[in-house]
Amino acid sequence: MEATVETFDIKDRDPPPVPFRLQSSVFEDGQKSKQNEVIEPVDCVGSDGPPVPLMMTVDATITEKCCKLDATERAEAEQSAISTLRPTPPANAIYHTQDHDLRNQHVVGQVIDNFLSPPIIQGTSNLSRSDLNMMSDSVSHEGLQEEEEMENGILIPEAVPVRAIAPVENPNVGVAQLVEPDHRSLSIRNKIEKNVLQRNVTFDEIEATDSRVLSLNCITDKDQAKLLETDTNLFQRYILVLLAFDFSNPGWLSFSNECNWVGVECNIHGHVVKLESIGEDLDGTMPPEIAKLQYLQMLSLIDNSLYRTLPSEIFDMKYVSEIHLDKNNFTSTLPSRIGNLKELTVLSLQWNEFTGPLPSELGYLNKLTYLDLKSNFFSSTLPSELSNLKELTDLLLSVNEFTGTFQSELRNLNKLVHLRLNRNQFSGTLPTEIGNMSNLMHLVLWNDKFEGTLPSELGNLSTLQTLDLDSNDFTGTLPSELGNLANLTILFLYDNQFSGTFPSELGNLKKMSALIASQNQFTGTLPTEIGNWKEVYFIRFNENQFTGTLPTELGGLYMLEELYVFTNQFSSTIPSELQNLTILKA
């Protein structure tokens, strides 16, 4: 029977010491980690013949075909398997190398370790162990030094793809022959080229060391799944391998079904619907081919080191509902094609390096509920089309370079719960329509350039918990209607130009936990009603023009830790009741 040997480049077959390890997750005593499988040499039976030493992964689908060995037999099998991997090559052997430079790179090696199948020998019924060892001798081998290779007259071309190695008709002659790419490989190549590759490129136009070519070689030559061009998961498996190359981290890869890979989630039909990798040190660029994961609903690659521009193709993924790319190094502007994501409910791009104005097409995302663009370099005014985002609950735009006023478009977003515009260059006054944002719980506007008096309509925001107006140019008196904010816990007024007396109505805010009113121009005495703030833990009235004495009611604020009242005109008498504040810091 003619035997067929499917193998890797010999550089992928250098045997590590037993126990074999995928990464550093297998300990010296042979224990196995939860995330990686130990590759062990075992004796498996061919179709009719004697036991054959193969490098196999301990997996139910494979070991059910293998013999059950006792300890002595296993030790012998291990030693035999290792010896077949480092033979003395026969004089008439033919050698080939594949992607010589890339094979020395960590990423490629890890893909080989984590994902690609071990060499499998088929049709062994008529071959003896010595025949098999001779076949092992015949595959390409990198262990010889360059001087020895030249002495033997062996030419080693670079970047020659190794598809399959087959013995000659006489099994006793240890000469291997390079087999041309088979029909399966060509069919897969053509189908991926036509349906997955983006931007009108072909494999013939791509360098052999390009990740798209390397990924193709993995799928056609080395993947134990042995997919055909008719397999429905061919495209998504290729794309996930491509992401492993481009992200320089093949941690989620294995020879199992891709729906079982770490960070990958599929629906009942086997289509990838979720791709998640948080804090996994991904480092690289996002390939446009990711857009061909056409059933993807959630893309979450938070806290990695991905960089350069986002491929505009990802904004054509019609089923995507959540995109989380926080804490990376993506650059450039958001493309207008973002308006194509009709199902998008969450877009979170905080802590990147995006620039430029927001595209008006954001207004087409009428299902969007959460928009987080914090800590980028976005600029210009907000597009008026944001008023179309009627379902928006969270609008987080802080730490950018936005300009303009608190536009009427924002006033119409009545479902907003969390609005953060801090650390931009917004200016102008707050409109009276802000009182219509009846669901607002957090209004954070610190370190902008807002000015003028506060509208009394702020008192209509009955659900408001946080009002942060620090470091602006607000003037005038505080509206007494702020006393209606029964759920308010945080009130920050630091570094403005507020004046007049501090309203006694604010004593009604019984849930108050933190008040900062320092560096303003408040006058008069502190109202005794602040003694109702039983949950407050710090109060700062410093650097104003308050007069009189501190109210004795402060002595009943038993949770108070900080009380700053310096740089005012209070009398020198300190109420003895303050001695009751046992946790107050000196």
Side-chain angles (χ1 to χ4, degrees):
M1 179 182 296
E2 184 178 4
T4 301
V5 180
E6 298 178 1
T7 184
F8 309 123
D9 189 297
I10 192 63
K11 286 177 280 186
D12 305 324
R13 298 187 59 191
D14 290 344
V18 176
F20 299 95
R21 60 179 75 222
L22 295 180
Q23 296 182 46
S24 59
S25 55
V26 181
F27 304 105
E28 293 301 332
D29 59 1
Q31 294 179 348
K32 180 173 58 177
S33 73
K34 294 182 179 180
Q35 294 185 351
N36 295 303
E37 300 289 345
V38 183
I39 296 181
E40 301 184 32
V42 297
D43 267 5
C44 292
V45 177
S47 56
D48 300 310
V52 176
L54 300 176
M55 294 301 297
M56 286 261 183
T57 306
V58 180
D59 181 84
T61 60
I62 297 176
T63 54
E64 65 184 5
K65 303 177 183 178
C66 298
C67 304
K68 294 184 180 295
L69 307 178
D70 60 28
T72 302
E73 292 171 326
R74 177 170 293 279
E76 294 175 354
E78 289 177 352
Q79 185 59 40
S80 176
I82 295 173
S83 65
T84 63
L85 292 178
R86 298 301 291 251
T88 302
N92 56 352
I94 298 175
Y95 301 90
H96 297 283
T97 64
Q98 179 181 7
D99 301 327
H100 178 76
D101 293 333
L102 279 177
R103 288 302 177 189
N104 293 325
Q105 295 182 7
H106 171 75
V107 175
V108 176
Q110 287 298 301
V111 170
I112 297 299
D113 285 346
N114 284 24
F115 169 57
L116 307 178
S117 64
I120 297 177
I121 302 177
Q122 300 174 336
T124 58
S125 58
N126 296 326
L127 298 178
S128 66
R129 181 181 298 273
S130 61
D131 293 332
L132 292 166
N133 287 344
M134 188 170 293
M135 290 168 58
S136 296
D137 292 346
S138 66
V139 294
S140 33
H141 182 69
E142 190 191 41
L144 300 178
Q145 298 296 321
E146 183 176 355
E147 294 80 7
E148 296 175 328
E149 294 166 347
M150 295 308 297
E151 287 177 5
N152 292 329
I154 301 171
L155 176 63
I156 303 183
E158 292 189 359
V160 177
V162 176
R163 300 299 185 193
I165 301 295
V168 294
E169 292 184 0
N170 182 1
N172 294 320
V173 178
V175 179
Q177 297 175 342
L178 183 64
V179 177
E180 294 298 324
D182 56 18
H183 174 74
R184 167 184 166 272
S185 298
L186 289 176
S187 298
I188 289 176
R189 170 192 170 111
N190 292 337
K191 194 165 186 179
I192 290 177
E193 182 176 274
K194 179 179 179 180
N195 296 280
V196 179
L197 292 190
Q198 298 287 288
R199 304 178 183 178
N200 298 318
V201 299
T202 65
F203 282 114
D204 289 335
E205 300 169 336
I206 304 173
E207 295 290 336
T209 56
D210 188 281
S211 59
R212 290 166 291 185
V213 175
L214 296 175
S215 301
L216 176 66
N217 292 339
C218 288
I219 292 294
T220 58
D221 300 346
K222 300 178 172 67
D223 185 3
Q224 187 175 345
K226 298 298 179 186
L227 297 183
L228 301 175
E229 71 275 11
T230 56
D231 286 313
T232 57
N233 64 327
L234 172 63
F235 296 161
Q236 69 181 23
R237 194 171 179 90
Y238 170 80
I239 294 169
L240 292 175
V241 176
L242 176 61
L243 291 176
F245 276 105
D246 282 347
F247 291 169
S248 304
N249 190 330
W252 63 57
L253 298 183
S254 76
F255 60 81
S256 65
N257 184 281
E258 63 274 7
C259 292
N260 298 323
W261 294 356
V262 175
V264 177
E265 186 176 307
C266 297
N267 60 18
I268 59 175
H269 303 294
H271 300 138
V272 174
V273 295
K274 179 179 178 181
L275 185 59
E276 182 176 47
S277 181
I278 300 176
E280 296 292 337
D281 296 325
L282 304 186
D283 184 3
T285 60
M286 186 179 296
E289 285 74 17
I290 193 175
K292 289 299 182 176
L293 293 175
Q294 57 181 331
Y295 297 98
L296 193 68
Q297 298 174 16
M298 177 178 174
L299 177 62
S300 180
L301 303 175
I302 299 173
D303 194 14
N304 287 288
S305 299
L306 304 178
Y307 56 91
R308 292 185 183 171
T309 61
L310 286 178
S312 58
E313 288 84 356
I314 72 170
F315 299 111
D316 294 328
M317 304 174 74
K318 61 182 179 180
Y319 295 118
V320 168
S321 61
E322 296 186 27
I323 295 178
H324 304 263
L325 300 176
D326 313 31
K327 298 183 180 180
N328 281 284
N329 300 305
F330 290 116
T331 58
S332 79
T333 60
L334 294 183
S336 60
R337 286 162 72 173
I338 195 172
N340 297 335
L341 300 177
K342 303 301 184 182
E343 299 298 317
L344 196 65
T345 61
V346 175
L347 178 61
S348 186
L349 305 176
Q350 64 165 307
W351 287 97
N352 279 282
E353 299 176 18
F354 291 109
T355 59
L358 298 184
S360 60
E361 288 78 6
L362 274 175
Y364 299 161
L365 308 180
N366 53 24
K367 293 186 179 180
L368 196 65
T369 62
Y370 185 95
L371 179 59
D372 188 350
L373 306 178
K374 295 193 305 286
S375 299
N376 281 281
F377 298 97
F378 291 114
S379 59
S380 190
T381 59
L382 300 181
S384 60
E385 289 79 4
L386 288 183
S387 62
N388 299 329
L389 306 180
K390 302 298 185 182
E391 301 300 317
L392 199 63
T393 60
D394 293 77
L395 180 57
L396 313 176
L397 305 179
S398 53
V399 197
N400 278 284
E401 299 173 2
F402 290 116
T403 59
T405 61
F406 196 105
Q407 301 178 27
S408 59
E409 290 76 16
L410 297 182
R411 312 168 201 171
N412 297 328
L413 303 179
N414 295 331
K415 290 189 177 181
L416 272 184
V417 172
H418 196 169
L419 177 60
R420 296 184 68 99
L421 304 179
N422 56 289
R423 292 188 65 181
N424 282 281
Q425 300 181 46
F426 290 111
S427 58
T429 60
L430 297 185
T432 57
E433 292 88 348
I434 196 172
N436 297 331
M437 304 173 108
S438 56
N439 293 295
L440 199 61
M441 297 176 64
H442 306 282
L443 178 59
V444 181
L445 307 178
W446 65 275
N447 202 4
D448 276 300
K449 297 181 179 180
F450 290 112
E451 58 187 7
T453 58
L454 298 183
S456 60
E457 287 77 7
L458 279 173
N460 297 336
L461 305 179
S462 58
T463 60
L464 197 64
Q465 298 177 11
T466 303
L467 179 58
D468 189 347
L469 307 177
D470 283 356
S471 300
N472 280 281
D473 295 313
F474 290 113
T475 59
T477 59
L478 296 181
S480 60
E481 289 80 2
L482 292 182
N484 299 331
L485 305 178
N487 290 297
L488 196 67
T489 61
I490 296 175
L491 178 59
F492 290 168
L493 308 172
Y494 164 80
D495 190 21
N496 280 281
Q497 300 180 49
F498 291 116
S499 59
T501 60
F502 194 82
S504 60
E505 290 81 0
L506 269 62
N508 299 330
L509 308 180
K510 296 182 179 181
K511 294 184 178 181
M512 183 71 74
S513 62
L515 171 80
I516 300 180
S518 50
Q519 292 191 27
N520 280 283
Q521 300 175 27
F522 290 115
T523 58
T525 60
L526 290 180
T528 59
E529 288 81 1
I530 66 176
N532 296 328
W533 298 345
K534 301 299 183 182
E535 298 180 11
V536 70
Y537 62 92
F538 75 81
I539 297 174
R540 296 182 182 177
F541 283 122
N542 54 290
E543 299 178 74
N544 279 282
Q545 300 177 37
F546 289 111
T547 58
T549 60
L550 296 178
T552 58
E553 288 77 6
L554 288 173
L557 306 181
Y558 298 112
M559 298 186 67
L560 192 62
E561 297 180 12
E562 294 185 9
L563 176 60
Y564 290 3
V565 293
F566 59 86
T567 317
N568 279 284
Q569 300 178 35
F570 292 116
S571 67
S572 58
T573 304
I574 298 177
S576 60
E577 289 80 2
L578 293 184
Q579 299 177 13
N580 300 329
L581 306 180
T582 57
I583 63 173
L584 185 64
K585 298 177 182 178

